[in-house]
Amino acid sequence: MRNILPLNPDSIARAANAIRDGDLVAFPTETVYGLGADATNDAAVAKIFEAKNRPTFNPLIIHIPDMDAARAIADISPTAADILKQFWPGSLSAILPRAEGSPVSRLASAGLDTLAIRIPAHDGARALLRAARTPIAAPSANSSGRISPTTAQHVAQDLGEKVAIILDGGPCTVGVESTILDLTGDQPAILRPGGVTLEAIEEVLGHSVARGWMDAQLDAVDENNAPTAPGMLRSHYAPAIPVRLDATHAEPGEALLGFGPTPEALDSLSPKGDLTEAAARLFDCLHRLDDGRFQGIAVAPIPDHGLGRAINDRLRRAAAS
Ligand code: TXA
Ligand code: MG
């Protein structure tokens, strides 16, 4: 496809110009590919919702290159800053109060008085953010409800020419979206499990953290009903074919996706049972098994700790559609 450019200083400069012109740019982060637009430009942000067919009640994550840029858009208390210093740059998005006079489009935050913000660990992503000189609103670069992209090819297959430029930085190393940590309440709460584990967050905090995603996850919300907590769409990350969980064998027509020793498996998230490898491979495996060869995907049980929590969360939502 003509709009895929290898990630280098030249393509980053072109992509930064496209962002400043109000166009859409897909770019790699360590978690998944983002569909970026100038977060301060309402018309540009509107293009994201249109390209993804995303309901406008679902707010976007705002990406910035450093702490100074974060402070220009959100209020970061000393306590919040102490926590965030441990995880940024990285696979964690923080919910924080919108700063007074924050230039971020109200459409990007779905009218909320809070913002989800993140400093990605990916060097190319931060280079783009610095070159663009504006915060970049970026949801995952997939049609709403579908599987998140971890390669430039995934983005091209799904969104194609709706994007001005797709920066190709190769496969994402983490492979699941950022952990969303709400720092606006009395106590931090995880709204979405992701690339930074609950265990790592509890270690930094020195105490347990609320698992906000557990309550909301199978609420009767869907793409057409505003969820009580944003980001808690029940059906999400879904292949076109049914997904069955905790499977030990394949039914006729199904492909078995294994983890660890799974004798009958057609493919495996990690033959050696490594959760980091499984997270990095999850969406690519789902994309590849969703190519019309099978009537369903059966997935072996994944241990529910560390990155396994994010993997199981995505799989449950994939299975819920
Ligand atoms: O890893 C990631 O987080 C990727 C990369 C591109 O950064 N982005 C991503 O964006 O996963 P998206 O749009 O697919 O997910 C953003 C989530 C949504 O579930 C949204 O509801 C939630 O963040 N969110 C955004 N702003 C929020 C806010 N103010 N309060 C609560 N949740 C918010
Ligand atoms: Mg997404």
Side-chain angles (χ1 to χ4, degrees):
M1 197 124 34
R2 281 174 293 115
N3 56 349
I4 302 186
L5 303 179
L7 184 75
N8 57 40
D10 214 54
S11 61
I12 289 173
R14 278 179 63 181
N17 283 334
I19 293 280
R20 297 192 66 80
D21 286 345
D23 289 332
L24 298 182
V25 169
F27 62 99
T29 81
E30 74 278 19
T31 57
V32 300
Y33 275 69
L35 179 63
D38 180 351
T40 67
N41 176 338
D42 285 322
V45 169
K47 288 184 190 173
I48 294 180
F49 286 97
E50 194 187 318
K52 282 182 63 95
N53 196 15
R54 179 175 174 118
T56 50
F57 59 68
N58 195 5
L60 309 176
I61 295 176
I62 313 300
H63 298 70
I64 60 279
D66 52 45
M67 238 346 170
D68 285 343
R71 290 187 193 284
I73 61 173
D75 287 337
I76 308 182
S77 70
T79 321
D82 280 345
I83 298 169
L84 291 173
K85 265 187 265 170
Q86 312 275 337
F87 296 110
W88 279 353
S91 313
L92 182 124
S93 298
I95 309 295
L96 294 163
R98 162 193 274 275
E100 206 172 297
S102 177
V104 171
S105 148
R106 291 267 168 193
L107 178 60
S109 61
L112 299 172
D113 290 324
T114 55
L115 293 179
I117 71 176
R118 166 159 108 94
I119 304 177
H122 193 287
D123 290 338
R126 282 206 316 285
L128 173 66
L129 288 162
R130 280 191 299 268
R133 285 178 281 116
T134 184
I136 295 182
S140 50
N142 53 283
S143 303
S144 191
R146 302 307 303 274
I147 308 169
S148 297
T150 52
T151 66
Q153 289 68 36
H154 294 160
V155 180
Q157 280 156 23
D158 187 347
L159 298 176
E161 307 282 333
K162 292 178 183 171
V163 192
I165 295 174
I166 302 173
L167 292 176
D168 185 353
C172 300
T173 52
V174 175
V176 289
E177 294 84 347
S178 60
T179 302
I180 301 184
L181 185 67
D182 186 351
L183 294 173
T184 61
D186 295 338
Q187 291 295 329
I190 297 178
L191 301 187
R192 176 177 76 181
V196 170
T197 64
L198 172 130
E199 289 87 344
I201 292 173
E202 292 189 336
E203 192 176 324
V204 161
L205 293 177
H207 58 79
S208 64
V209 59
R211 304 171 187 205
W213 82 94
M214 300 290 280
D215 323 319
Q217 84 184 344
L218 291 181
D219 272 2
V221 292
D222 60 33
E223 300 267 317
N224 303 310
N225 290 312
T228 41
M232 296 296 146
L233 298 178
R234 188 174 80 100
S235 161
H236 214 122
Y237 311 100
I241 53 178
V243 174
R244 189 165 64 82
L245 306 183
D246 295 322
T248 49
H249 67 277
E251 299 290 345
E254 272 184 346
L256 180 63
L257 182 57
F259 178 83
T262 319
E264 276 184 53
L266 191 95
D267 195 355
S268 179
L269 289 171
S270 170
K272 59 179 188 283
D274 176 65
L275 289 169
T276 304
E277 181 183 35
R281 285 176 48 73
L282 175 67
F283 291 136
D284 190 52
C285 285
L286 293 179
H287 272 107
R288 277 186 292 105
L289 296 177
D290 191 22
D291 66 354
R293 284 175 296 158
F294 307 101
Q295 278 92 60
I297 303 173
V299 190
I302 313 291
D304 204 38
H305 58 78
L307 280 174
R309 287 182 219 278
I311 297 171
N312 282 323
D313 173 76
R314 305 308 185 268
L315 285 172
R316 275 192 293 266
R317 288 172 208 277
S321 57

